[in-house]
Amino acid sequence: MTQNTHPPGPQSHALFERAQRVMPGGVNSPARTFDAVGGSPVFMEYAQGPWIHDVDGKAYIDYVGSFGPMLLGHADPTTVAAVQGQTARGLSFGAPTGLEVELAELICDMVASIESVRMVNSGTEAATTAVRLARGATGRNKILKFAGNYHGHVDSLLVSAGSGALTLGIPGSPGVPEAVVADTLVATYNDLESVAAAFAEHGDDIAAIMVEPVAGNMNCVPPVDGFLAGLRDICDRYAAVLIFDEVMTGFRVHPGGAQAYYGITPDVTALGKIVGGGMPVGAIGGRESIMRSLAPAGPVYQAGTLSGHPLGMAAGLATLRQIHENDIHGAIQPNLTRLLSGLEARAAAAGVAFTTQHVGAMFGMFFTDHERITRFDEVAASDTQAFARFFHALLANGVYIAPSAFEAGFISCTHDADVIDRTLTAAESAFAAVAEGR
Ligand SMILES: *Cc1c(COP(=O)(O)O)cnc(C)c1O
């Protein structure tokens, strides 16, 4: 595949050589490696709005957005000013602050099912806590998840996971003892019958269903009609907890999350990504009656030295306030439509089998002749060679997308019509490269 790859600049190349000597695989998170598309990663230096700049001075239009947080674009001035202002007041106290209360109040305002919130430091921590809370509150052990859904690198959920685990073809992971995943059941996303079958067998032992309400770690796959409502019904019937992992979808598909977009109320919600405005923040929230099981109000233990970190709270508040007060999603919609219909038209003109899907401000691109993708096996069957060619041709032409056919795309409110049109110009030659099989 090397002849198809766009070579990184000399500074990126040199940094990656050094990185590989002192860091496993040269990166701090597997989703950043170029292993799935060939070549070696581009090292970034700074970013502004829709643009990200590498260490060799090349600029790219960015559709990674730090894998989700950057709904307002990079270096949003209000968010940056809020962090800068807080920095001078002390970095961390290990004692409560007003900022935590304000962000918790805002989350409760914005997300209808959330009455009470615990701040943590990542989406992984939020998912870990959600599972422990559900088990503690129900006194049951089994968790049902979906193949291709990703909930961070939580031991018990690292089974048939998406994102980097999917890209790298790791089915679970060495280091996760069988005993730890013995209570994890795996069902098929968008297939209620597979869920009903699991409940028919284990219903009284299932503490929770854990689901990405829009699957965003196996590319972007929206729920089919009735899927989320069906999960709600099953949980009600068996007194199981419905956990929406909205780490990616929260504030991205709608200011009130996927639960507002689809009108389904989960019991517990995991948040991350946008909630920290680009800082490492996660949160879990839900009804007060279930959240009060968490220590110190209740017996389910969870803690964090840096939880509710002042800089993270300041960034999250500055970002969420803007999403709360402005119609960010409405402003993004015409530009996202312009992007996706433009991509499909150019693919068709080049004779490349290609389709797109989107919900709110997240989208997916599929090299496939299916018109609509609803199943994990359909995603897995898409043409990853074509994706790799497309990826490298875009990179050469100044457009940065995630280096895997299994990641979603993210747009911000700073991606205006001009930026979209530049993207489409780059895409035209990228589709030609795919068609030529270069
Ligand atoms: C990103 C993501 C996580 C993990 O969040 P981290 O902050 O990377 O730990 C969990 N669930 C979903 C749905 C995600 O997209």
Side-chain angles (χ1 to χ4, degrees):
M1 205 188 286
T2 30
Q3 70 272 27
N4 302 320
T5 61
H6 176 64
Q11 305 290 340
S12 273
H13 182 77
L15 278 171
F16 192 50
E17 293 290 301
R18 284 168 58 195
Q20 283 174 294
R21 262 177 249 134
V22 290
M23 297 156 61
V27 291
N28 273 313
S29 190
R32 300 174 198 172
T33 181
F34 277 25
D35 287 1
V37 291
S40 66
V42 178
F43 281 64
M44 299 303 180
E45 192 161 79
Y46 66 99
Q48 181 76 62
W51 294 96
I52 192 160
H53 301 256
D54 76 12
V55 290
D56 289 287
K58 186 174 166 86
Y60 308 83
I61 299 168
D62 180 27
Y63 292 96
V64 179
S66 192
F67 283 98
M70 299 302 167
L71 185 70
L72 304 181
H74 288 286
D76 167 60
T78 309
T79 305
V80 169
V83 172
Q84 285 173 333
Q86 185 55 42
T87 302
R89 298 157 61 85
L91 293 183
S92 179
F93 311 129
T97 64
L99 289 168
E100 296 161 89
V101 183
E102 281 180 63
L103 185 55
E105 286 173 346
L106 185 54
I107 292 170
C108 292
D109 267 2
M110 293 177 75
V111 185
S113 72
I114 298 185
E115 297 172 351
S116 176
V117 188
R118 168 63 49 89
M119 303 294 177
V120 293
N121 304 291
S122 68
T124 296
E125 272 190 58
T128 307
T129 303
V131 167
R132 189 179 305 144
L133 176 62
R135 285 173 165 163
T138 58
R140 302 172 180 177
N141 285 337
K142 292 199 186 304
I143 302 289
L144 183 126
K145 76 171 292 277
F146 296 94
N149 277 19
Y150 177 68
H151 305 293
H153 61 103
V154 183
D155 276 351
S156 63
L157 300 175
L158 214 47
V159 183
S160 303
S163 188
L166 180 59
T167 304
L168 302 179
I170 301 171
S173 169
V176 177
E178 267 171 42
V180 171
V181 295
D183 286 318
T184 306
L185 305 167
V186 181
T188 304
Y189 192 76
N190 274 338
D191 177 4
L192 281 176
E193 276 173 30
S194 71
V195 178
F199 272 82
E201 196 172 339
H202 302 287
D204 295 335
D205 301 323
I206 297 177
I209 295 179
M210 178 79 148
V211 64
E212 288 185 66
V214 177
N217 288 283
M218 51 188 229
N219 207 319
C220 176
V221 180
V224 296
D225 279 352
F227 178 61
L228 298 177
L231 299 183
R232 180 69 274 175
D233 285 348
I234 292 173
C235 283
D236 289 344
R237 193 149 10 110
Y238 288 88
V241 176
L242 180 60
I243 305 170
F244 273 11
D245 180 347
E246 295 228 41
V247 171
M248 183 182 288
T249 55
F251 316 109
R252 177 156 287 278
V253 304
H254 185 282
Q259 52 199 271
Y261 190 96
Y262 293 103
I264 305 295
T265 306
D267 301 300
V268 170
T269 302
L271 297 170
K273 300 195 167 113
I274 292 176
V275 79
M279 299 292 275
V281 178
I284 98 155
R287 271 197 324 277
E288 200 275 333
S289 59
I290 187 162
M291 290 297 292
R292 71 166 166 245
S293 294
L294 279 183
V300 178
Y301 196 70
Q302 193 284 329
T305 302
L306 296 176
S307 292
H309 193 275
L311 300 189
M313 298 299 102
L317 266 174
T319 291
L320 290 196
R321 274 187 186 135
Q322 292 180 72
I323 298 170
H324 191 43
E325 288 161 16
N326 305 284
D327 184 13
I328 303 284
H329 295 82
I332 287 174
Q333 229 31 247
N335 290 323
L336 182 56
T337 303
R338 186 184 188 94
L339 173 69
L340 299 182
S341 59
L343 288 172
E344 287 180 357
R346 280 156 186 80
V352 172
F354 175 87
T355 194
T356 67
Q357 303 188 145
H358 73 281
V359 182
M362 62 191 271
F363 64 96
M365 299 180 283
F366 303 84
F367 287 88
T368 176
D369 44 24
H370 289 76
E371 228 164 82
R372 188 159 167 249
I373 301 279
T374 60
R375 297 293 186 93
F376 174 55
D377 54 1
E378 296 166 339
V379 182
S382 70
D383 185 347
T384 52
Q385 290 283 330
F387 176 83
R389 286 194 192 93
F390 185 66
F391 171 85
H392 279 288
L394 282 183
L395 195 65
N397 290 320
V399 175
Y400 188 68
I401 62 174
S404 160
F406 302 120
E407 301 289 353
F410 301 107
I411 190 169
S412 81
C413 62
T414 62
H415 290 70
D416 60 17
D418 175 58
V419 165
I420 301 298
D421 289 347
R422 286 178 191 233
T423 306
L424 294 175
T425 303
E428 196 163 317
S429 58
F431 283 121
V434 172
E436 285 163 29
R438 271 194 271 116

